[in-house]
Amino acid sequence: MTKWVYGFGGGSAEGRSDMRELLGGKGANLAEMCNLGLPVPPGFTITTEVCTAFYDNDRAYPDGLNAEVETALAAVEKLVGRSFGDAKDPLLVSVRSGARASMPGMMDTVLNLGLNDETVEALASVSGDRRFAYDSYRRFIQMYGDVVLGVDHYHFEDILETVKEDKGVTLDTDMSADDWAEVVEAFKKKVQSELGQPFPQDPREQLWGAIGAVFGSWMNARANTYRRLHNIPASWGTAVNVQAMVFGNMGNDCATGVCFSRNPSTGEDRFYGEYLINAQGEDVVAGIRTPAPLTEIEKQESGSDLISMEAAMPRVFKELCDIREKLESHYRDMQDMEFTVESGKLYMLQTRAGKRTAKAALRIAVEMCRDGVISQKDAIMRVNPAQLDQLLHPTLDPEADRKVVGMGLPASPGAASGQIVFSAEVAEEWAGKGRKVILVRIETSPEDIAGMHAAQGILTSRGGMTSHAAVVARGMGTPCVCGAGAVKIDYANKTMMSGGVTLKEGDVITLDGATGEVMLGEVATLKPDLSGDFSQLMEWADVLRRLKIRTNAETPEEAETARGFGAEGIGLCRTEHMFFDPERIISMREMILAETEQGRRSALAKLLPYQRQDFIDLFRIMKGLPVTIRLLDPPLHEFLPHGDAEIAEVAKAAGVSEAIVKRRLLDLAEANPMLGHRGCRLGISYPEIYEMQARAIFEAAIEVTKDGGDPVIPEIMIPLIVGKKELEILKAAIIKVAAEVEDEKGAKLKYLVGTMIELPRAALRAGEIAEEAEFFSFGTNDLTQTTFGLSRDDAARFLDTYIAKDIFAGDPFVSLDQDGVGELVSLAAERGRATRSDIKLGICGEHGGDPASIAFCEAQGLDYVSCSPYRVPIARLAAAQAALGK
Ligand code: ADP
Ligand code: MG
Ligand code: MG
């Protein structure tokens, strides 16, 4: 029989931290903390399997759940010494969601459950604090009303504002017991009038309502968006945790807080956190009150005038410090912990591996490894390769002029410039049009996720380092400044006022997420510094990886950048990009539009010197590392002149009439250029094009070597073949050119001729093709398009729907479709090797920089992956993780 409920508390638990699939992250870690003997309020976890069963059975619970919940609840009652719903000394509980992967803010927690008109009086008399009891009751009605009953929270906030105004009170802390009782009455009335039903008074009805709401929220729009952005399958489900309440809002010896065992922004090995005295639940992250620093050092450094926990509650702080050490050494990773202090007694409410910036991730991994806490392999596995992206981008130039108009908390590092917008919707809309935007909000909430994703940077005027904006931005690697209190935001007029300046929607600002500065206009940036922890981890990764990492580069700048990032060669140099220069495009067009071989040859002769120089530059930068050069590939229409002025220019250069050029344009028009006259088909029709390119490559190789430079072994790559025959013809032509150049220059050449495998037929015929090809490079962009019969340029329109309906697991152009396209790659590799055992194999699509695709390439035993320059470090780390069997 399936066990649906797992209890914890009183120094032991039925669950463990390695049961997160079943218990969710929160439930598994609550159980583990109990097992470690830490002070955790008792409770129980309803498993993720119940969630799955719930959705499989038309939102009905499995048999036996009710009885198991009753048994577990009775155990909690026994441990606490109070009964749920008891009119004298009631047990109150929290109902909390907890998915396998942490989904901050996606699911809603209900606190103080079990309160009603009767138990609130009991709570008042047991605690001797009527104000506290009614404060808890009004919190409960609001949370339960909003989350479970669907009465929008603004109704409650309006009432609260009105009552406060009536009483002449500004702060919640100044409200009296009677004031809260009045609020409670008004809240209940509001629920009655909104729903036509009274607020539920039966604690068991409340409990099941809350459990149902947690399971229900698994499929709400916010959760769906978050899951889509983070590739979390809907099938995982969430668990529900029901836990005895402890109260941080019972007076000044009470508090609630959030802390990290190391600094999540810098990675520094120092306790870090925020707390609030006399507060409950999400007050710390909600941005309603500004939280105080945990430690004295933090207080001094931030210049806060609030009293630190270290000073206010030294004994409890000491206890928390011990728990920090205990949890960190137990989990051997930086922990993000939530705690509450009730009447001087500390309770732990949550622990999990803390989210961190890339910089912090590197520092923590490297330092823990140096301290012998984790191995080099662990250190490599700890850093998410995709996150490194944050470090590879520019930071503000310290020399650049900056006009600082505001200051907030440095919540997520990196520099960002963009036009300000005041809503997530506008952020999405403008970003969709290719504009760079900075999202400016008083505070953010889960509904803003998509807009936050679209923004270059995020600025909020409220909330601390653990506010929603800060946590989400760090996860996304988006620069963020939060809690900039002096920035006055006016949503209605779409303006923000800061440092005496008023800015309106569309004005440009720059944020420095590492210092918290807000600046006017765009500020110059500097290249990233990749020394220190970064190079240390990369060094470890380089020793452990097997795959070589090359780059896709055609310009000297790209090649230099990629070399700086550690590229070990060029896997794809697209020669056509060399023809778009204004001084070259005319000759290129002249060549395409020529009607005779003679005409083409004369245009090509003008291109040869340019092309040769390009290769000389590249070979010099690459210093003997392998360079794979792809001969002309794109559909010719991409080069054709548009408008009359351009046509006239080409006609003049070619010495023909404009009418002839126009007629030729019509001749060349294709219905579907992507599947038309392109790739090696051009080389077959016009051999002189590839001959010129081969000559340029060979002459450049000799030129560079002659200077005493490193030997160059160019790898000449023929695109878009469908079988062996095309390669046979083109390879023979290339060999002939090589022999001619050798004769002319009196030098010997070393080179390889190979092909791209980017059409399903080529993959199938790989065995035969390998008789000619000395290497294969899998062009997985085109291979994906042609295997799916899906144009990358047109897919965006319906791809989201396909992903939402779970037809595709993700965008196949971002991460390789391992089942389909992957099968072709694997089959071609196998057939190619069977013919030529030492055939060089690599991949050069966008997938070369995607960690999951890199793992696939490792499994297939390819020799290298090639990716864009900025992804080279990501690929180096991902390749090491793949080698370690991630
Ligand atoms: P989230 O997943 O958004 O972090 P939690 O379930 O951790 O939500 O709940 C949010 C906050 O509610 C906690 O940080 C804690 O302050 C408060 N809370 C939850 N359960 C309890 C409890 N049993 N007693 C007191 N406070 C609680
Ligand atoms: Mg929450
Ligand atoms: Mg929490």
Side-chain angles (χ1 to χ4, degrees):
M1 240 184 66
T2 320
K3 181 172 167 61
W4 303 113
V5 176
Y6 286 70
F8 58 83
S12 69
E14 293 178 311
R16 286 183 320 269
S17 65
D18 60 2
M19 290 165 69
R20 63 184 302 137
E21 292 190 10
L22 186 64
L23 303 180
K26 201 180 286 168
N29 286 331
L30 283 169
E32 189 82 355
M33 285 198 290
C34 281
N35 290 329
L36 289 171
L38 300 185
V40 176
F44 55 88
T45 304
I46 305 175
T47 69
T48 55
E49 286 178 354
V50 174
C51 185
T52 315
F54 178 74
Y55 282 106
D56 285 350
N57 292 307
D58 236 356
R59 304 198 175 214
Y61 295 120
D63 289 344
L65 178 65
N66 202 29
E68 283 192 47
V69 166
E70 285 302 329
T71 310
L73 188 60
V76 175
E77 289 175 328
K78 194 148 171 251
L79 283 166
V80 179
R82 297 189 171 122
S83 308
F84 192 56
D86 188 60
K88 290 216 179 61
D89 191 4
L91 167 71
L92 303 187
V93 296
S94 67
V95 176
R96 322 166 63 184
S97 64
R100 231 198 264 189
S102 102
M103 294 174 52
M106 290 298 115
M107 300 288 169
D108 302 294
T109 297
V110 177
L111 303 179
N112 310 320
L113 189 140
L115 280 176
N116 58 26
D117 295 350
E118 194 172 41
T119 53
V120 70
E121 284 299 335
L123 184 65
S125 73
V126 172
S127 66
D129 187 346
R130 194 160 168 272
R131 184 190 175 281
F132 150 73
Y134 276 90
D135 175 33
S136 303
Y137 194 19
R138 65 94 191 177
R139 286 172 188 266
F140 172 53
I141 298 175
Q142 170 160 357
M143 265 190 266
Y144 195 92
D146 181 21
V147 172
V148 182
L149 303 176
V151 179
D152 265 331
H153 55 91
Y154 69 83
H155 288 304
F156 300 111
E157 277 148 21
D158 283 353
I159 292 172
L160 185 52
E161 281 309 309
T162 316
V163 174
K164 276 173 153 179
E165 248 167 54
D166 279 1
K167 313 263 164 200
V169 166
T170 45
L171 295 175
D172 285 3
T173 37
D174 293 337
M175 295 279 280
S176 70
D178 287 340
D179 295 342
W180 285 132
E182 199 178 317
V183 170
V184 162
E185 277 315 307
F187 278 9
K188 286 195 301 187
K189 272 214 193 81
K190 190 77 214 174
V191 170
Q192 170 81 51
S193 74
E194 283 297 307
L195 301 178
Q197 276 176 34
F199 184 82
Q201 292 286 315
D202 175 7
R204 272 188 173 64
E205 183 189 339
Q206 295 173 354
L207 179 62
W208 285 103
I211 293 170
V214 173
F215 285 138
S217 72
W218 178 250
M219 290 291 180
N220 73 22
R222 286 165 14 187
N224 284 332
T225 304
Y226 188 91
R227 274 199 298 275
R228 189 162 45 75
L229 290 173
H230 292 82
N231 284 326
I232 298 171
S235 60
W236 281 8
T238 180
V240 179
N241 299 289
V242 178
Q243 188 178 28
M245 280 301 297
V246 288
F247 300 100
N249 58 333
M250 229 160 58
N252 287 338
D253 57 352
C254 302
T256 185
V258 179
C259 55
F260 294 85
S261 62
R262 297 183 187 217
N263 186 308
S265 200
T266 65
E268 191 186 357
D269 184 5
R270 211 168 75 185
F271 202 15
Y272 179 85
E274 292 171 334
Y275 85 117
L276 276 175
I277 290 182
N278 199 7
Q280 191 178 47
E282 314 242 45
D283 292 359
V284 175
V285 294
I288 294 164
R289 277 163 64 188
T290 299
L294 210 62
T295 65
E296 276 299 289
I297 295 192
E298 208 59 53
K299 174 186 158 78
Q300 278 152 22
E301 286 185 359
S302 66
S304 166
D305 49 14
L306 300 165
I307 180 163
S308 74
M309 183 174 182
E310 186 172 4
M313 305 179 159
R315 190 186 46 79
V316 181
F317 175 76
K318 170 80 182 34
E319 204 184 325
L320 191 60
C321 289
D322 293 344
I323 289 175
R324 165 204 178 204
E325 302 222 327
K326 196 164 184 174
L327 284 175
E328 196 181 273
S329 61
H330 179 71
Y331 285 101
R332 299 185 308 128
D333 197 2
M334 188 264 271
Q335 295 298 298
D336 166 355
M337 298 156 285
E338 295 172 12
F339 63 90
T340 283
V341 180
E342 177 183 306
S343 309
K345 174 151 175 39
L346 176 67
Y347 292 94
M348 298 308 293
L349 294 175
Q350 190 170 347
T351 191
R352 61 183 158 195
K355 285 207 189 307
R356 60 204 81 179
T357 62
K359 189 173 157 193
L362 280 173
R363 179 162 177 182
I364 292 169
V366 169
E367 288 185 356
M368 283 192 164
C369 181
R370 284 211 188 108
D371 293 345
V373 178
I374 58 174
S375 67
Q376 271 184 26
K377 289 180 184 170
D378 287 337
I380 284 166
M381 296 309 260
R382 279 291 164 81
V383 179
N384 173 1
Q387 212 191 4
L388 288 181
D389 202 29
Q390 287 176 32
L391 298 175
L392 307 176
H393 292 287
T395 49
L396 285 182
D397 179 353
E399 303 292 309
D401 273 344
R402 46 176 96 182
K403 185 158 182 339
V404 178
V405 292
M407 189 73 190
L409 298 169
S412 178
S417 300
Q419 294 178 284
I420 57 174
V421 296
F422 296 96
S423 78
E425 293 74 45
V426 178
E428 255 191 295
E429 188 193 322
W430 287 25
K433 293 182 187 150
R435 298 199 212 167
K436 293 185 166 180
V437 301
I438 303 281
L439 178 62
V440 179
R441 299 282 299 164
I442 295 172
E443 61 202 334
T444 63
S445 68
E447 287 93 334
D448 299 331
I449 290 268
M452 295 171 78
H453 217 77
Q456 303 292 312
I458 296 161
L459 170 64
T460 69
S461 58
R462 245 195 242 160
M465 290 291 279
T466 50
S467 65
H468 179 265
V471 171
V472 172
R474 279 199 294 274
M476 290 175 176
T478 302
C480 173
V481 172
C482 69
V487 175
K488 295 283 167 264
I489 296 168
D490 179 347
Y491 287 144
N493 293 306
K494 298 190 180 163
T495 60
M496 65 176 250
M497 239 180 65
S498 188
V501 197
T502 302
L503 297 167
K504 51 185 194 319
E505 186 178 72
D507 288 345
V508 174
I509 62 168
T510 297
L511 301 179
D512 186 344
T515 62
E517 283 170 313
V518 181
M519 290 147 282
L520 281 189
E522 189 167 342
V523 180
T525 53
L526 279 187
K527 285 219 168 122
D529 171 22
L530 301 180
S531 56
D533 300 327
F534 185 96
S535 61
Q536 177 63 80
L537 194 84
M538 284 295 152
E539 221 173 85
W540 294 339
D542 287 346
V543 173
L544 286 162
R545 75 182 150 86
R546 184 195 60 81
L547 276 170
K548 293 270 181 207
I549 310 300
R550 296 198 194 178
T551 190
N552 300 348
E554 41 265 347
T555 65
E557 299 79 59
E558 286 169 343
E560 299 265 19
T561 306
R563 287 278 287 131
F565 285 147
E568 297 164 299
I570 291 180
L572 175 62
C573 167
R574 302 173 168 93
T575 49
E576 62 271 15
H577 285 210
M578 299 170 164
F579 295 124
F580 283 107
D581 244 44
E583 46 184 1
R584 306 177 186 189
I585 186 81
I586 304 248
S587 313
M588 184 65 188
R589 287 171 175 166
E590 186 189 333
M591 189 278 291
I592 295 168
L593 294 166
E595 286 182 274
T596 62
E597 182 183 336
Q598 180 64 41
R600 278 189 297 277
R601 284 196 186 274
S602 96
L604 284 165
K606 296 183 210 163
L607 287 169
L608 175 65
Y610 290 120
Q611 183 101 94
R612 183 173 53 221
Q613 191 57 47
D614 290 334
F615 294 133
I616 291 174
D617 293 344
L618 270 189
F619 291 154
R620 290 215 166 110
I621 292 167
M622 297 312 289
K623 295 198 183 351
L625 292 172
V627 177
T628 305
I629 298 162
R630 179 178 72 186
L631 302 185
L632 192 68
D633 175 61
L636 292 182
H637 79 101
E638 289 185 16
F639 298 101
L640 292 178
H642 304 294
D644 286 345
E646 283 184 0
I647 290 175
E649 212 178 353
V650 176
K652 191 162 159 243
V656 298
S657 75
E658 288 174 36
I660 289 184
V661 173
K662 282 185 181 157
R663 205 197 62 223
R664 188 73 184 129
L665 280 175
L666 281 179
D667 289 348
L668 286 173
E670 287 181 302
N672 189 347
M674 284 314 293
L675 300 177
H677 199 184
R678 55 169 289 220
C680 72
R681 298 161 196 174
L682 295 169
I684 295 287
S685 312
Y686 312 124
E688 54 279 4
I689 300 179
Y690 281 8
E691 281 167 28
M692 180 283 281
Q693 292 197 292
R695 174 169 282 275
I697 294 167
F698 293 136
E699 289 181 359
I702 289 173
E703 174 76 21
V704 170
T705 322
K706 167 181 97 189
D707 298 348
D710 304 282
V712 179
I713 307 177
E715 300 177 355
I716 299 178
M717 181 156 76
I718 314 285
L720 212 78
I721 62 165
V722 296
K724 176 182 163 189
K725 196 73 192 174
E726 292 152 310
L727 189 58
E728 203 178 283
I729 295 170
L730 294 168
K731 186 178 171 187
I734 290 166
I735 292 174
K736 184 158 165 276
V737 174
E740 283 166 19
V741 175
E742 283 179 329
D743 266 2
E744 290 161 24
K745 307 277 175 188
K748 263 294 186 210
L749 280 166
K750 270 195 180 164
Y751 60 94
L752 300 178
V753 180
T755 185
M756 281 185 98
I757 300 289
E758 52 188 331
L759 295 175
R761 191 179 192 282
L764 294 169
R765 305 307 299 161
E768 231 170 51
I769 293 169
E771 289 167 19
E772 295 289 332
E774 292 164 296
F775 64 87
F776 287 167
S777 175
F778 292 98
T780 51
N781 294 347
D782 268 329
L783 192 57
T784 300
Q785 296 204 90
T786 51
T787 301
F788 279 84
L790 181 65
S791 146
R792 183 161 54 152
D793 306 311
D794 299 319
R797 258 176 245 163
F798 55 89
L799 210 53
D800 277 354
T801 314
Y802 262 59
I803 293 168
K805 296 200 169 175
D806 239 357
I807 300 170
F808 290 174
D811 181 342
F813 294 106
V814 171
S815 198
L816 188 78
D817 160 48
Q818 299 187 11
D819 297 342
V821 179
E823 184 171 9
L824 283 171
V825 170
S826 145
L827 183 145
E830 188 187 311
R831 292 185 181 174
R833 283 195 193 107
T835 304
R836 189 188 288 265
S837 60
D838 63 345
I839 190 164
K840 251 200 215 187
L841 301 174
I843 156 176
C844 64
E846 294 300 307
H847 302 106
D850 167 62
S853 311
I854 291 171
F856 173 81
C857 294
E858 170 69 24
Q860 297 302 314
L862 301 194
D863 298 297
Y864 68 86
V865 299
S866 187
C867 57
S868 65
Y870 274 96
R871 296 201 75 85
V872 166
I874 297 170
R876 285 163 73 192
L877 182 59
Q881 293 186 346
L884 291 171
K886 195 176 187 182

